[in-house]
Amino acid sequence: MAGRQMPKTVSTKQVRIATLAKTMPGTAIRSLAHYMDLDWLREAVRRTRKDGAVGIDGVTAGEFASDLETNLQSLLDRAKSGSYRAPPVRRVEIPKGGGKMRPIGIPTYEDKVLQRGVVMLLEPIYEGDFYNFSYGFRPGRSAHDAYSALREGLWEMDGGWVLDADVSSFFDTLDHKQLRDLLRQRVVDGVVVRLIGKWLNAGVLSKGRVTHSAQGTPQGGVISPLLANIYLHEVLDRWWVDEVLPRLSGRAFLIRYADDFVMVFSEEADARRVHEVLPKRFGRFGLKLHPEKTRLIPFQRPRPTAGARRDATFDFLGFTLFWGRSRRGRWALKVKTAKGRLTRALKALKEWMDRARHRPIQQQAEALARKMRGHYRYYGVPGNSSSIARFRHVATRHWWRALGRRSQRYLSWARFSQIERRYPLLPARLPPWRHRPVRQANV
């Protein structure tokens, strides 16, 4: 099932939806649910993770697939008749950094499949509406694309005034009523609107108690990223294009990845005006910007004779950007893994090593290789070799210490070096850079 290609009927239907949406800009589409049939849900199953955590019913992907056709037919019938009941999501918390925890909502597997089916209906509509500077959770776009677009924009403008914004608890404070109103501007199909309403009102199961709120969409839900993009498309993106850009005296660009976004201005006066009105704009939609984490940063390329500006740094998507000297002594845009992200990754790796230290060394080495490869794959962008080397060095020391606690006998570094030669850890090398930039203008 995992290797199957998308059925032509599904791709053809998505093209029809996209074409319909393109010919009806700004108009609500009334008929969508008829596109969703068994082939559609089979494709939704193919796109749904099979190894994710289970929801409140405890049903795994394998158990659901044991009688797949019957389960899908039942799901389709209940969805279209209106009898489908969205179960509460199961809340778990994962480390966020800085000692804080991030709540994640885990739907049932059946719910994930149906949410994926609705996402497949909505994406062709909204992909034609969304702007190029929006990257988060969109087909064919990645965090690396957003990061690269930011670097390219900064380089072309020789830096500028950076407005680094932080939305406080966005996924927990998204207003249901305003979201429904925004959805109805493009979609009024009764089945789709009803299902989304049920997911918004499903509630959260935590510590044996179900709670409901008129705000928020759980992180972890399949449909939550798309709903977030729809909301922020109106709150931020359209406002930026229709009202902000026409009023600026200089150049500017915006890069957004979900609720993480950065604005860059060539003129200080433009940056300060937007910085002043931005909280008011978000407030109209029930959102707040973190007063301390939302900063206006002078980030121009230093003059040739200037000294290093250590304060001119900001973080985006786990990377810290700053100006530094190139090997030829010129000022260049530099990058490193954000301190908090590096610390968190090493802490998680150390904790895993402590738990796994009694496993066979070969198993440990293979698991470590997978974990390190995942870290390299994300943070191994051009120019970040020093952070990758730091990660590898500290990971090696952690493994040495973890293996040394397997018994009362001291494990010397020389003995550990013999072990590592036999089971070598991944070298600190940047993986091949496969990014293909998404060329864009201001919009």
Side-chain angles (χ1 to χ4, degrees), residues 315-382:
D315 293 350
F316 185 64
L317 299 179
F319 299 99
T320 297
L321 289 90
F322 61 99
W323 293 103
R325 297 283 189 178
S326 68
R327 293 181 179 178
R328 297 184 179 181
R330 299 173 181 172
W331 285 106
L333 192 59
K334 300 277 190 173
V335 64
K336 60 184 178 182
T337 305
K339 182 179 178 181
R341 293 290 188 94
L342 183 59
T343 299
R344 191 192 317 171
L346 288 169
K347 180 182 178 182
L349 198 63
K350 179 180 181 299
E351 291 174 349
W352 178 86
M353 290 177 183
D354 289 339
R355 294 193 303 270
R357 67 179 184 270
H358 293 295
R359 296 181 186 177
I361 292 178
Q362 182 176 351
Q363 289 185 14
Q364 292 186 48
E366 291 171 352
L368 276 173
R370 290 192 296 270
K371 294 177 183 295
M372 295 176 73
R373 189 177 293 112
H375 184 88
Y376 292 177
R377 188 176 293 122
Y378 184 81
Y379 292 103
V381 300

Side-chain angles (χ1 to χ4, degrees), residues 269-325:
D270 290 337
R272 294 197 178 280
R273 284 201 304 272
V274 175
H275 187 205
E276 181 180 353
V277 301
L278 192 62
K280 300 174 185 176
R281 173 66 182 180
F282 274 70
R284 285 181 53 190
F285 292 85
L287 301 174
K288 293 182 180 180
L289 296 181
H290 196 291
E292 297 176 359
K293 295 181 180 180
T294 300
R295 305 178 301 150
L296 188 58
I297 306 158
F299 197 75
Q300 297 86 354
R301 186 202 302 264
R303 297 185 303 275
T305 58
R309 293 181 54 182
R310 299 183 182 276
D311 61 326
T313 70
F314 69 95
D315 293 350
F316 185 64
L317 299 179
F319 299 99
T320 297
L321 289 90
F322 61 99
W323 293 103
R325 297 283 189 178

Side-chain angles (χ1 to χ4, degrees), residues 418-439:
Q418 293 176 355
I419 294 174
E420 193 190 1
R421 280 195 294 272
R422 184 174 180 183
Y423 304 104
L425 295 179
L426 285 181
R429 296 175 184 168
L430 298 182
W433 184 240
R434 298 186 178 89
H435 164 69
R436 295 180 180 179
V438 180
R439 301 300 299 175

Side-chain angles (χ1 to χ4, degrees), residues 70-373:
T70 301
N71 289 333
L72 290 183
Q73 187 64 62
S74 171
L75 182 61
L76 182 66
D77 292 342
R78 284 177 285 139
K80 291 195 172 184
S81 68
S83 62
Y84 181 79
R85 298 184 63 182
V89 298
R90 181 171 66 88
R91 170 166 287 177
V92 298
E93 293 188 337
I94 61 174
K96 183 180 179 181
K100 297 181 179 180
M101 303 296 287
R102 182 191 303 277
I104 298 292
I106 302 175
T108 64
Y109 184 78
E110 179 184 66
D111 210 37
K112 292 176 185 177
V113 170
L114 187 55
Q115 287 189 31
R116 178 62 62 192
V118 172
V119 168
M120 288 161 54
L121 289 173
L122 297 179
E123 268 185 352
I125 299 171
Y126 286 102
E127 279 301 305
D129 293 347
F130 292 159
Y131 293 111
N132 280 337
F133 53 75
S134 165
Y135 289 87
F137 307 109
R138 294 181 58 189
R141 290 168 174 253
S142 68
H144 282 168
D145 293 328
Y147 158 79
S148 295
L150 175 61
R151 279 186 63 99
E152 290 173 9
L154 287 167
W155 186 258
E156 291 174 2
M157 284 178 49
D158 281 339
W161 287 82
V162 173
L163 180 50
D164 180 18
D166 183 272
V167 184
S168 298
S169 303
F170 169 73
F171 283 90
D172 295 331
T173 56
L174 182 150
D175 184 84
H176 290 179
K177 182 181 182 305
Q178 299 214 51
L179 174 59
R180 290 191 185 94
D181 291 342
L182 294 177
L183 280 166
R184 291 191 183 98
Q185 293 178 12
R186 287 300 264 153
V187 177
V188 289
D189 179 279
V191 171
V192 173
V193 171
R194 184 168 56 241
L195 283 172
I196 293 175
K198 289 182 177 183
W199 286 320
L200 291 175
N201 295 324
V204 175
L205 176 65
S206 179
K207 298 178 181 179
R209 181 183 176 188
V210 177
T211 57
H212 300 267
S213 174
Q215 296 178 325
T217 178
Q219 287 181 266
V222 174
I223 202 167
S224 294
L226 178 58
L227 297 181
N229 273 335
I230 292 170
Y231 205 77
L232 287 171
H233 175 73
E234 180 66 27
V235 175
L236 179 63
D237 301 354
R238 278 171 48 107
W239 175 71
W240 172 262
V241 171
D242 295 343
E243 300 186 36
V244 175
L245 288 178
R247 291 176 169 83
L248 299 182
S249 59
R251 298 170 63 194
F253 68 91
L254 164 67
I255 302 294
R256 181 174 70 79
Y257 189 92
D259 61 326
D260 197 354
F261 66 93
V262 171
M263 298 172 172
V264 183
F265 304 84
S266 63
E267 302 298 325
E268 179 182 0
D270 290 337
R272 294 197 178 280
R273 284 201 304 272
V274 175
H275 187 205
E276 181 180 353
V277 301
L278 192 62
K280 300 174 185 176
R281 173 66 182 180
F282 274 70
R284 285 181 53 190
F285 292 85
L287 301 174
K288 293 182 180 180
L289 296 181
H290 196 291
E292 297 176 359
K293 295 181 180 180
T294 300
R295 305 178 301 150
L296 188 58
I297 306 158
F299 197 75
Q300 297 86 354
R301 186 202 302 264
R303 297 185 303 275
T305 58
R309 293 181 54 182
R310 299 183 182 276
D311 61 326
T313 70
F314 69 95
D315 293 350
F316 185 64
L317 299 179
F319 299 99
T320 297
L321 289 90
F322 61 99
W323 293 103
R325 297 283 189 178
S326 68
R327 293 181 179 178
R328 297 184 179 181
R330 299 173 181 172
W331 285 106
L333 192 59
K334 300 277 190 173
V335 64
K336 60 184 178 182
T337 305
K339 182 179 178 181
R341 293 290 188 94
L342 183 59
T343 299
R344 191 192 317 171
L346 288 169
K347 180 182 178 182
L349 198 63
K350 179 180 181 299
E351 291 174 349
W352 178 86
M353 290 177 183
D354 289 339
R355 294 193 303 270
R357 67 179 184 270
H358 293 295
R359 296 181 186 177
I361 292 178
Q362 182 176 351
Q363 289 185 14
Q364 292 186 48
E366 291 171 352
L368 276 173
R370 290 192 296 270
K371 294 177 183 295
M372 295 176 73
R373 189 177 293 112

Side-chain angles (χ1 to χ4, degrees), residues 350-420:
K350 179 180 181 299
E351 291 174 349
W352 178 86
M353 290 177 183
D354 289 339
R355 294 193 303 270
R357 67 179 184 270
H358 293 295
R359 296 181 186 177
I361 292 178
Q362 182 176 351
Q363 289 185 14
Q364 292 186 48
E366 291 171 352
L368 276 173
R370 290 192 296 270
K371 294 177 183 295
M372 295 176 73
R373 189 177 293 112
H375 184 88
Y376 292 177
R377 188 176 293 122
Y378 184 81
Y379 292 103
V381 300
N384 197 28
S385 57
S386 60
S387 293
I388 293 297
R390 170 69 177 166
F391 178 84
R392 206 270 187 188
H393 172 74
V394 177
T396 302
R397 306 289 292 189
H398 284 338
W399 198 30
W400 169 45
R401 294 191 179 99
L403 292 179
R405 290 194 290 273
R406 283 160 64 99
S407 68
Q408 298 299 319
R409 296 180 59 187
Y410 173 71
L411 179 66
S412 67
W413 182 257
R415 172 59 183 146
F416 173 74
S417 298
Q418 293 176 355
I419 294 174
E420 193 190 1

